[in-house]
Amino acid sequence: MRLPPFEYRAPRTVADAAALLAEAPGESMLLAGGTDVLPNMKRRQQTPRVLVGLRGIRELRRLEVDRAVRLGAGVTLTDLVRSDALRARVPGLWQAVAQIATPHLRNVGTIGGNLCLDTRCTYYDQGPEWRKAIGYCLKKDGATCWVATSSPTCLAVSSTDAAPMLQALGARVQLVSARGERRVEVADLYANDGIAYLTRRPDEILTAVEIPATAGRRSTYWKLRRRGAFDFPVLSVAAAARVEADGTVTEARVVVGAAASRPMAAPAADRALVGRTLTDDVIAEAAEGAYAVAKPMDNTDFELVWRKRMTRTLVGYALRELRGDDMREARLRLARQSLAMVS
Amino acid sequence: MSGPTSRGDLVGRARRRVDGRAKVTGQTVFADDLLPPRTVFCKLLRSSVPHARIAALETTRARAAAGVLLVLTGQDFPEAYGILPVSQDEHPLCRDVVRFVGDPVAAVVARDEATAEAALALIDVTYDVRHTFAEPQDSLSTPEPRIHDYGDEGNVHKKVALQFGDVDRAIAGADHVFDDVFHYAGNTHLPIEQHATVALRDPDGKLVVYSSTQTPHYLHRALAKALGLPAAHIRVIATPNGGGFGGKSDPFNHEIVVARAALDLDRPVKICLTREEVFFCHRGRHPVLMRFRTGVTADGRITGMDLQTLLDGGAYGSYGVASTFYTGALQTVTYQVPTYRFRGCRVFTNKPPCGPKRGHGTPQSRFGQEVQLDKIAERLRIDPADLRLRMVAPANTLTANYLKVGTIGLAACITRVVERAGWRGKHGRLPYGRGVGLACSSYLSGAGLPIYWNAMPHSGVQLKLDRSGGVAAFCGATEIGQGSDDVLVACVAEVLGIDPHDVRPVTGDTDLTPVDLGSYSSRVTLMMGNAAIQAAERARDLVAEAVARTLDVPVSRLVFAERRVFDSEDPARGLPFAEAVSVAEAAFGTIGATGSYTPPASAARFKGGGVGPSPAYSYSAAVVEVEVDPETGWIVVPRVWIAHDIGRALNPVLVRGQVEGSVYMGLGEALMEEQAFRRLPPRLSSALVHKFPSMLEYKSPTSLDMPEIVTDLIEDPDPAGPFGAKEVGQGPLLPVMPAVANAVFDAVGVRIDEVPITPEKILKALQAAAQGKPARYGPAAFPEIAWPETLLVAPPWEGGDGTASNEPARRPRKATSPGSGVRS
């Protein structure tokens, strides 16, 4: 499969990029690495007339890791994996990024690109002839969602590894258009709809990610997939918490990824944790809270019932890791790599 | 008078393969690297429905499109073809009926690929949709509409029934009877190289086809038939394959289509399949449902085995008749099986056709047999290794189904892995959640019969020697990554006592090289190797005769070694090899020699006895360790120990590579790989599609998923093999899958009676056990099948002569292989 023809634009500034997007509304897309949009174009899932490449915009490549963290959207995933400062300050985000795809793909993939990743579905991520053979689907050119034929909305799955973790960390993104700029919480960047999964407007460019003060906050990310590389998550659990010296949790957020069309907050899990210590019972209670929000469907690898069941397991792994348990063995079994923390 | 001797030092030495440099420096020219001047490009329009009659096919708009040079349809290809003479059921482009999503209906050739692809959308096809056959049980019970108008009945392609001895009485008289049903999911070859073909007319106007094929000779025949051309006017060149694994063993529609187009246009025409199209070509592992009824004595010896198999063949015949026989062919060569019945049935469904994948038809029933043996050992409280060691088949015998077995290194393999793995301290002794499993296997070193009946050699080698000291070795064998060029060179260089880099292999070219049947059935090392040795010995004897005269030394004292020919009693007296050849060239004229190989005649004389015989059988044993999380079913394989009876390792580096590659592929089949399909709700759609024809979603292990592998080679030279070598390309795959299943049982006490063995299935079995149900996950039952009359063959120990007592007299075949055995 080959790329369809398209026009390529390479602006040097965000303002120029925004102007280019405004020029061709609905016909242009951003290229921020291309590991998602280019294969999708080969499969004719997306056929933009214009691709606006962000690679030449230097300001998007800035990586600041201090008390607060600011990541330019064009920072590559490899840049992040190689940042010892990020690894030390926001270990959960480092773990999430280190498990995206493969080293080669991380060399070109960017954090902004990962956040805007198209939702995925085994009825949708196929070539045009395959999709024709099923009469197409709701997400593209068809009328039926084959995942659940009575569903009025598309059930394609949010498959970004970074978003659940950033949502748990209370991060915000900066969105810039020719009309101006705004900041939104990562939690508000997404909608639970496989088609309109982003609240980013088509003329907006996601330019940066900001993570508020990291001091004293623990974070961790657990990803379920068949193999040790390549695969998108088919379930993930991101957890971030502040824990007092006596073990009391003062702030906690558990987010479930790849189990709906957006990262799902688990407020019941968060409530189960705040003001308490991370005992096995408390962890189990939080796991039930997260289990309830996971709604996997039959459109990824693995069976949906088993995937849902794994929510409890991953929440357990995550919270035990936040508690300080040695989770290296479980990590190695599940991730096939150590993802060791910098202490 | 005895001849000269060879003292080559290559055999058994770990060496860099002769094609290694080209491969690691990217200089190997694969089919898709070819781009002759004036090349134009072909794309195929494939069916978007699983089963339909073509009501209308309108190509006017496509023909008129700018840049389009040619549009072909089924009407351009009246002649049918197929790899087996009994299954000539394919057309390069469908004429009346499409049989699966992906079946090609039209071809467009254009100045570039994008133009060809765009023109496909201008072809209008109207389909009269027919019933979708998604499951083999449906094909068994629904005879109409027929997917093909040939076959045994309805949608049954082939049924076979063979019996060797009174198996019912043997099972009835057994102390225990084990009755188990297993399922083996279909999976695909997944070579890294996608199929590609370039066809052109040579300056004389004759057809040349470059293709990534494992079987240039069979492709040659298919092209001649399908295009109606004399074979002498067709030249097939097999480019080095970037992996084959059986997936490039059939003649393919795209090869015939671009050949036709090149003849019509008188321009080179190229096609390279997309990965999705490779999944549609398939010819991979048949999904097989099977039932083993086995009688055993109290001490665990088999009294009789009754095997039934049901194969989901997909949409075409391919090698399917052979595959069907293979599901029951090799049960008898590992352990003593005094009475045996095998009944197999292959049905058509509307899916990409299945065929030969590494192990061809035997891994499925090997899985069932080895898992059932583990169950027998557990019930009888016998260690699974001991159970097997007690009943290893004896060497140099005939089995119940008349397979002539030579050397058997199976006991040595078992003993070695048991020792290396620390089996005695681990099996049944590791903590809950960890376990080890053992399984064994055997495989052919080449099929005893060719695909089509003939009395000619299975492999031929021709050598050209000249005054340069260089030797050109010509053979039709095909380098598919397995190292066949290296074997050819090694056998020649060993006999002539020269360096492997002094030998130029010229292979897989039907104009230049003698026929070799192809790289399938693990036949190349044994058959080509024997032919190469014969040719090299003949050349050596010619050179020796001339050198003997020149040096005035008896031929019997001459030694070929270290690029010299010298007197064994006075090694200083001799000639460099190049001078030795010069002397011979002066004495006899141009120096050439040929060698050929024909396998020994089979002992089986009943219908169906042609599948299974081989000049030699390899053996393997593996121990797999697993870790299973009982909370989730998550499974990890940290270590594999494997021992393989290779006879003799010609190049141990390549042998180990094949063993480890087999473990890799075996773990993929055991744990994740599955050629899965989506049948949309029938009330809404007739669609039946491959679930994920991509390398991202068809899961195959990555390097991070690979365990540590400890490989041992058992070397007991087999007289039938070149320098004693047997096969290694396929056999070591087979024990891996059952060993994983057996290890899961040792770890958490549940049986997974099917592959792939996934966390979900393990957890379901654990949950069943917790609820007091059978601690098992797997198929519930084998369907009732109306079997044909069983051919009754008395085993050798009951005075049988290899014929069936109830078979109608068979027409004697003129083309019986000579019984000479080795090099003919």
Side-chain angles (χ1 to χ4, degrees):
Chain A
M1 271 178 277
R2 316 271 180 195
L3 282 171
F6 59 90
E7 191 181 313
Y8 181 69
R9 307 299 293 268
R12 292 286 177 183
T13 66
V14 170
D16 286 352
L20 285 167
L21 275 188
E23 250 175 46
E27 296 187 329
S28 51
M29 287 183 76
L30 295 169
L31 184 74
T35 60
D36 186 42
V37 72
L38 295 180
N40 286 1
M41 286 170 67
K42 287 182 178 179
R43 293 188 294 253
R44 305 299 190 269
Q45 291 160 275
Q46 287 142 8
T47 47
R49 186 175 62 78
V50 181
L51 274 185
V52 179
L54 300 180
R55 173 179 243 174
I57 305 178
R58 193 169 288 177
E59 61 194 286
L60 296 182
R61 304 290 294 260
R62 209 171 296 147
L63 169 61
E64 297 161 47
V65 182
D66 207 328
R67 266 184 223 136
V69 173
R70 190 173 194 284
L71 314 173
V75 170
T76 69
L77 303 170
T78 293
D79 291 338
L80 295 177
V81 173
R82 287 188 181 157
S83 167
D84 287 342
L86 183 80
R87 193 173 184 173
R89 284 182 183 272
V90 203
L93 183 60
W94 182 85
Q95 290 168 332
V97 173
Q99 290 182 81
I100 293 173
T102 70
H104 299 85
L105 291 166
R106 289 195 296 267
N107 287 343
V108 281
T110 60
I111 185 70
N114 188 261
L115 287 176
C116 296
L117 188 74
D118 194 7
T119 52
R120 299 186 60 81
C121 174
T122 46
Y123 289 97
Y124 166 66
D125 292 299
Q126 304 280 358
E129 295 305 315
W130 192 100
R131 286 184 285 117
K132 183 181 176 190
I134 62 161
Y136 302 99
C137 78
L138 192 55
K139 186 161 160 79
K140 173 76 178 159
D141 302 331
T144 306
C145 175
W146 293 109
V147 180
T149 51
S150 59
S151 174
T153 55
C154 165
L155 295 167
V157 183
S158 168
S159 304
T160 152
D161 285 294
M165 192 68 247
L166 287 168
Q167 181 172 328
L169 289 163
R172 297 189 304 175
V173 295
Q174 185 181 38
L175 298 168
V176 178
S177 70
R179 292 177 291 169
E181 66 174 79
R182 61 182 180 127
R183 281 179 162 71
V184 300
E185 298 279 332
V186 167
D188 296 328
L189 180 63
Y190 300 101
N192 197 10
D193 179 320
I195 296 169
Y197 63 97
L198 277 180
T199 60
R200 177 181 76 92
R201 291 189 292 264
D203 66 339
E204 285 181 319
I205 302 169
L206 194 162
T207 54
V209 182
E210 297 162 352
I211 305 171
T214 57
R217 193 166 44 180
R218 303 175 189 179
S219 61
T220 183
Y221 181 77
W222 288 77
K223 172 174 182 170
L224 181 67
R225 59 174 164 181
R226 179 90 53 174
R227 304 175 292 185
F230 285 102
D231 296 338
F232 288 95
V234 295
L235 177 75
S236 67
V237 168
R242 286 181 200 281
V243 184
E244 297 294 301
D246 67 352
T248 308
V249 176
T250 56
E251 186 191 312
R253 255 195 228 123
V254 175
V255 177
V256 180
S261 296
R262 59 157 296 153
M264 296 300 286
D270 304 346
R271 282 194 302 275
L273 298 169
V274 174
R276 301 163 82 180
T277 55
L278 290 167
T279 62
D280 287 353
D281 288 346
V282 167
I283 290 174
E285 197 181 323
E288 282 312 311
Y291 178 78
V293 305
K295 299 271 177 4
M297 304 298 290
D298 178 23
N299 59 347
T300 69
D301 192 20
F302 287 125
E303 283 179 13
L304 64 99
V305 173
W306 184 81
R307 276 166 67 208
K308 182 168 169 70
R309 197 177 187 280
M310 286 299 285
T311 317
R312 293 194 192 104
T313 305
L314 294 199
V315 171
Y317 290 164
L319 296 178
R320 281 159 57 199
E321 188 164 45
L322 291 189
R323 182 169 72 184
D325 289 12
D326 182 352
M327 298 304 294
R328 283 178 296 186
E329 268 191 37
R331 183 70 81 175
L332 196 58
R333 274 204 307 273
L334 195 67
R336 323 264 197 225
Q337 51 203 299
S338 73
L339 299 175
M341 294 294 192
V342 180
S343 47
Chain B
M1 191 179 101
S2 64
T5 50
S6 301
R7 287 197 204 138
D9 63 346
L10 297 172
V11 166
R13 184 155 63 81
R15 283 182 301 108
R16 192 180 83 188
R17 57 193 288 170
V18 294
D19 55 344
R21 182 179 185 277
K23 290 220 158 111
V24 300
T25 56
Q27 294 182 82
T28 302
V29 178
F30 295 98
D32 190 37
D33 295 322
L34 298 172
L35 196 64
R38 301 180 69 244
T39 296
V40 291
F41 298 84
C42 177
K43 294 293 282 184
L44 298 173
L45 177 69
R46 293 175 181 275
S47 172
S48 57
V49 296
H51 192 196
R53 186 161 289 282
I54 300 172
L57 180 62
E58 181 52 61
T59 60
T60 315
R61 287 193 302 146
R63 288 178 203 275
V68 170
L69 303 168
L70 182 68
V71 176
L72 295 169
T73 69
Q75 303 319 307
D76 297 301
F77 296 97
E79 191 67 36
Y81 70 96
I83 182 66
L84 298 189
V86 295
S87 308
Q88 300 287 300
D89 61 359
E90 299 188 55
H91 284 85
L93 298 168
C94 297
R95 290 170 63 79
D96 310 309
V97 176
V98 293
R99 297 180 174 87
F100 69 99
V101 169
D103 220 359
V105 294
V108 173
V109 181
R111 64 187 171 210
D112 56 47
E113 212 181 50
T115 304
E117 184 154 20
L120 295 181
L122 304 175
I123 298 173
D124 301 304
V125 193
T126 311
Y127 293 111
D128 284 343
V129 170
R130 308 169 86 191
H131 178 75
T132 302
F133 291 92
E135 295 297 333
Q137 282 82 352
D138 190 19
S139 306
L140 267 182
S141 57
T142 312
E144 297 285 339
R146 294 185 80 182
I147 295 172
H148 286 283
D149 55 10
Y150 82 107
D152 280 359
E153 71 206 32
N155 285 301
V156 172
H157 178 204
K158 187 70 185 173
K159 282 180 184 172
V160 300
L162 300 167
Q163 178 169 319
F164 308 92
D166 192 343
V167 69
D168 290 321
R169 201 170 71 181
I171 290 177
D175 297 321
H176 303 273
V177 178
F178 290 80
D179 192 345
D180 292 288
V181 181
F182 301 96
H183 185 254
Y184 200 104
N187 51 56
T188 201
H189 319 86
L190 216 70
I192 295 297
E193 181 207 24
Q194 295 150 216
H195 304 57
T197 304
V198 176
L200 49 87
R201 276 185 191 268
D202 71 11
D204 295 335
K206 292 189 283 197
L207 176 65
V208 183
V209 176
Y210 297 86
S211 194
S212 42
T213 176
Q214 299 176 233
T215 53
H217 175 62
Y218 295 140
L219 174 58
H220 193 199
R221 289 171 53 85
L223 286 166
K225 183 180 189 227
L227 301 173
L229 287 178
H233 293 187
I234 301 172
R235 177 181 182 187
V236 176
I237 298 173
T239 47
N241 290 198
F245 313 109
K248 297 167 182 168
S249 306
D250 286 58
F252 283 103
N253 44 52
H254 62 268
E255 295 172 315
I256 301 168
V257 166
V258 295
R260 170 84 273 156
L263 291 171
D264 288 1
L265 293 170
D266 198 3
R267 289 182 74 164
V269 181
K270 177 171 180 174
I271 190 166
C272 181
L273 300 190
T274 64
R275 179 57 60 180
E276 188 178 8
E277 289 178 297
V278 174
F279 278 95
F280 296 153
C281 281
H282 187 48
R283 323 283 163 151
R285 189 84 71 227
H286 284 76
V288 177
L289 184 64
M290 57 203 134
R291 179 179 175 191
F292 277 88
R293 273 180 68 241
T294 305
V296 294
T297 61
D299 64 350
R301 288 169 197 277
I302 294 169
T303 63
M305 180 183 288
D306 181 11
L307 169 62
Q308 297 178 75
T309 62
L310 173 61
L311 295 80
D312 179 350
Y316 289 96
S318 183
Y319 284 79
V321 170
S323 316
T324 306
F325 280 108
Y326 271 126
T327 61
L330 298 188
Q331 266 46 56
T332 55
V333 298
T334 39
Y335 316 110
Q336 295 169 54
V337 179
T339 63
Y340 179 53
R341 179 166 57 220
F342 162 63
R343 290 169 291 182
C345 174
R346 183 181 195 261
V347 297
F348 291 121
T349 54
N350 296 121
K351 296 185 271 193
C354 298
K357 181 188 171 189
R358 206 175 196 172
H360 192 189
T362 71
Q364 296 96 324
S365 44
R366 176 57 59 183
F367 174 80
Q369 184 174 4
E370 295 289 326
V371 173
Q372 189 181 54
L373 279 179
D374 206 66
K375 296 182 184 190
I376 293 170
E378 192 241 340
R379 175 103 65 85
L380 302 185
R381 298 178 183 280
I382 302 172
D383 183 278
D386 293 334
L387 179 88
R388 289 171 170 85
L389 281 169
R390 284 180 200 175
M391 57 179 180
V392 166
N396 303 308
T397 48
L398 274 182
T399 65
N401 56 341
Y402 288 86
L403 301 181
K404 210 184 283 172
V405 176
T407 58
I408 297 188
L410 180 55
C413 289
I414 296 172
T415 307
R416 186 70 65 86
V417 287
V418 160
E419 181 192 305
R420 288 281 232 154
W423 168 265
R424 308 266 178 209
K426 285 181 178 162
H427 184 247
R429 291 161 196 257
L430 292 172
Y432 184 69
R434 285 181 60 201
V436 288
L438 171 81
C440 303
S441 68
S442 174
Y443 200 69
L444 329 166
S445 303
L449 291 180
I451 294 297
Y452 65 99
W453 276 97
N454 71 85
M456 292 174 278
H458 289 213
S459 187
V461 170
Q462 196 163 8
L463 298 181
K464 184 218 75 175
L465 289 70
D466 69 23
R467 57 202 85 173
S468 70
V471 177
F474 301 86
C475 179
T478 308
E479 174 60 60
I480 61 167
Q482 86 280 44
S484 68
D485 280 2
D486 193 72
V487 169
L488 174 63
V489 164
C491 290
V492 172
E494 180 81 5
V495 171
L496 296 177
I498 57 179
D499 187 274
H501 294 283
D502 298 340
V503 183
R504 170 163 305 281
V506 180
T507 52
D509 181 329
T510 60
D511 260 14
L512 301 185
T513 61
V515 170
D516 174 278
L517 296 179
S519 287
Y520 69 96
S521 90
S522 274
R523 51 175 299 290
V524 173
T525 291
L526 189 138
M527 300 199 189
M528 176 194 71
N530 278 325
I533 290 171
Q534 184 180 59
E537 286 177 351
R538 287 173 175 172
R540 182 193 63 189
D541 292 352
L542 267 182
V543 172
E545 194 181 331
V547 171
R549 279 190 225 160
T550 305
L551 297 182
D552 197 19
V553 170
V555 164
S556 61
R557 273 179 25 202
L558 288 179
V559 174
F560 285 66
E562 297 174 347
R563 279 181 171 150
R564 289 181 71 235
V565 183
F566 56 88
D567 181 357
S568 60
E569 292 180 6
D570 179 8
R573 191 166 173 203
L575 296 176
F577 183 74
E579 278 181 38
V581 178
S582 305
V583 167
E585 214 181 325
F588 306 122
T590 303
I591 303 295
T594 61
S596 50
Y597 178 81
T598 307
S602 167
R605 292 157 66 197
F606 55 90
K607 192 170 194 291
V611 178
S614 176
Y617 296 84
S618 78
Y619 290 85
S620 308
V623 170
V624 171
E625 183 174 335
V626 300
E627 294 172 11
V628 176
D629 179 357
E631 297 300 311
T632 61
W634 191 257
I635 173 170
V636 175
V637 175
R639 264 170 299 274
V640 173
W641 296 266
I642 184 161
H644 180 70
D645 164 25
I646 178 71
R648 182 128 182 244
L650 298 184
N651 184 348
V653 180
L654 292 186
V655 173
R656 284 171 186 277
Q658 286 289 338
V659 174
E660 289 171 15
S662 289
V663 171
Y664 168 79
M665 186 173 265
L667 287 174
E669 297 195 16
L671 298 171
M672 56 184 85
E673 295 192 34
E674 186 170 5
Q675 180 92 330
F677 292 83
R678 291 264 194 208
R679 175 74 179 97
L680 294 192
R683 69 194 155 80
L684 298 175
S685 167
S686 63
L688 172 67
V689 285
H690 192 293
K691 195 171 174 184
F692 27 53
S694 83
M695 285 187 87
L696 175 61
E697 293 300 336
Y698 176 91
K699 305 297 184 189
S700 181
T702 73
S703 54
L704 285 173
D705 307 303
M706 276 299 282
E708 181 188 334
I709 303 170
V710 179
T711 302
D712 273 294
L713 303 181
I714 303 297
E715 298 194 76
D716 173 15
D718 190 297
F723 307 109
K726 302 198 278 190
E727 77 87 36
V728 65
Q730 310 192 62
L733 169 85
L734 285 100
V736 176
M737 296 74 77
V740 171
N742 294 342
V744 168
F745 178 77
D746 191 45
V748 290
V750 298
R751 292 289 177 188
I752 310 300
D753 288 337
E754 61 176 54
V755 297
I757 297 165
T758 63
E760 298 103 309
K761 292 174 186 174
I762 295 173
L763 191 62
K764 280 178 184 165
L766 286 164
Q767 287 167 341
Q771 293 161 7
K773 296 176 193 159
R776 165 180 192 268
Y777 186 90
F782 190 89
E784 284 297 323
I785 293 176
W787 295 109
E789 185 189 354
T790 303
L791 285 189
L792 302 173
V793 182
W797 41 87
E798 291 177 17
D801 63 357
T803 59
S805 59
N806 57 339
E807 185 177 352
R810 299 174 72 202
R811 189 162 45 88
R813 288 185 190 278
K814 278 194 194 130
T816 315
S817 315
S820 57
V822 247
R823 300 151 216 163
S824 52

